[in-house]
Amino acid sequence: MRIGIVQTSPAFGDTEGNLERVRALIRLTKADLWVLPELFATGYQFASREEVVSFAQPVPGGRTTQALVDLAQELDSTLVAGLAERAGERLYNSAVLVGPSGFVTCYRKAHLFFEEKRWFSAGDTPFPVVRVGPANVGILVCFDHLFPEAARTLALRGADVIAHPANLVIPEIGQLTMRVRAIENGVFTATANRVGIEARTGETLRFTGRSQIVSPRGEVLARSPIEGEDVRAAEIDLEAARDKSLNPYNDRLADRRPELYAL
Ligand code: ACM
């Protein structure tokens, strides 16, 4: 199986232009599963709730989800991408997984970062694991990386691969924690981060690039530069994510001691 990451520099509010950049980059190489950044079509730094409302869309049914389905059909592959979701009065920082047969699932970011808490509701969807061809694919969004329980839940639910749309702003931290999440859970992780700067609210956010695909041993199989748009893919062997043993005595999941973890 081949997984790919797309690193973009979204222009705030230019949803059609941002989609077009993704289409151009993604056509450069082939993958069965693609991961795009968090909020890839709108940009990240909203200045008001009204602004989020003007961009957020129902899922499924919104234009961005449909554009992703069209692209999945053209490529005959699966895409995981972050977008702003509107569900009644609520707004979520979500990620959709779509394939050639259409919309499959939506995950609403559980751990909101910084000013996201002003506009978005914290996610209420369980951490999803869905079948994509031979692989079990779980989803996290950006700051979820800092909460080991999130990735662990996906691993316990059988994820082989964690798709991780991101807009990381603290240099190297998310890239480091996702390598640890890969090692401790014995899963592949695919982080699609963005690049560029947004300074729309008085806070300057510099997005840190270095999108990456990591093996269950923590090896970086593909890494994008710190700046600039980029697309990368890596071949993965799912067997490496299904054997959780470290040696004849230790197994990353079977050796857990949940009875000692209760507070
Ligand atoms: C983040 O969660 N976008 C840092």
Side-chain angles (χ1 to χ4, degrees), residues 38 44 93 109 111 113 116 141-144 166-169:
E38 178 182 16
Y44 179 78
N93 181 346
K109 184 177 186 178
H111 304 97
F113 180 72
E116 291 171 37
V141 174
C142 204
F143 192 49
D144 287 330
N167 275 191
L168 295 162
V169 291

Side-chain angles (χ1 to χ4, degrees), residues 5-10 22 25 34-41 80-83 93-95 141-142 164-168 191-195 211 230:
I5 44 178
V6 185
Q7 173 168 299
T8 57
S9 182
V22 165
L25 285 163
W34 282 105
V35 187
L36 276 51
E38 178 182 16
L39 295 167
F40 85 97
V80 178
L83 49 70
N93 181 346
S94 297
V141 174
C142 204
H164 181 224
N167 275 191
L168 295 162
T191 298
N193 196 17
R194 62 161 287 181
V195 291
S211 300
D230 191 51

Side-chain angles (χ1 to χ4, degrees), residues 87-261:
E89 291 299 298
R90 287 179 182 252
L91 302 166
Y92 295 99
N93 181 346
S94 297
V96 292
L97 185 148
V98 304
S101 60
F103 168 79
V104 177
T105 196
C106 175
Y107 163 67
R108 295 170 171 165
K109 184 177 186 178
H111 304 97
L112 298 176
F113 180 72
F114 195 51
E115 291 182 322
E116 291 171 37
K117 292 198 175 190
R118 297 175 66 188
W119 338 117
F120 293 113
S121 297
D124 53 3
T125 45
F127 297 104
V129 177
V130 299
R131 192 83 179 177
V132 175
N136 297 313
V137 176
I139 305 173
L140 297 180
V141 174
C142 204
F143 192 49
D144 287 330
H145 72 83
L146 206 67
F147 301 83
E149 298 89 343
R152 175 52 53 88
T153 303
L154 291 174
L156 291 171
R157 291 193 171 144
D160 306 306
V161 179
I162 297 179
H164 181 224
N167 275 191
L168 295 162
V169 291
I170 305 172
E172 294 303 327
I173 296 298
Q175 290 85 350
L176 174 63
T177 55
M178 286 307 283
R179 283 183 74 186
V180 175
R181 301 291 93 88
I183 297 166
E184 68 196 359
N185 292 298
V187 296
F188 291 92
T189 64
T191 298
N193 196 17
R194 62 161 287 181
V195 291
I197 297 175
E198 286 186 2
R200 308 186 66 253
T201 66
E203 292 286 341
T204 299
L205 298 178
R206 287 168 205 281
F207 300 96
T208 60
R210 285 195 182 266
S211 300
Q212 63 183 21
I213 302 170
V214 179
S215 81
R217 299 165 68 97
E219 302 145 332
V220 179
L221 304 176
R223 176 181 277 144
S224 299
I226 199 161
E227 283 177 359
E229 295 189 320
D230 191 51
V231 59
R232 313 247 155 180
E235 199 69 41
I236 63 166
D237 174 7
L238 292 171
E239 283 312 308
R242 291 184 180 163
D243 177 5
K244 303 295 187 191
S245 68
L246 294 167
N247 58 50
Y249 297 92
N250 292 114
D251 179 288
R252 277 170 279 206
L253 295 188
D255 282 358
R256 295 172 62 248
R257 301 289 309 283
E259 69 279 15
L260 299 181
Y261 306 153

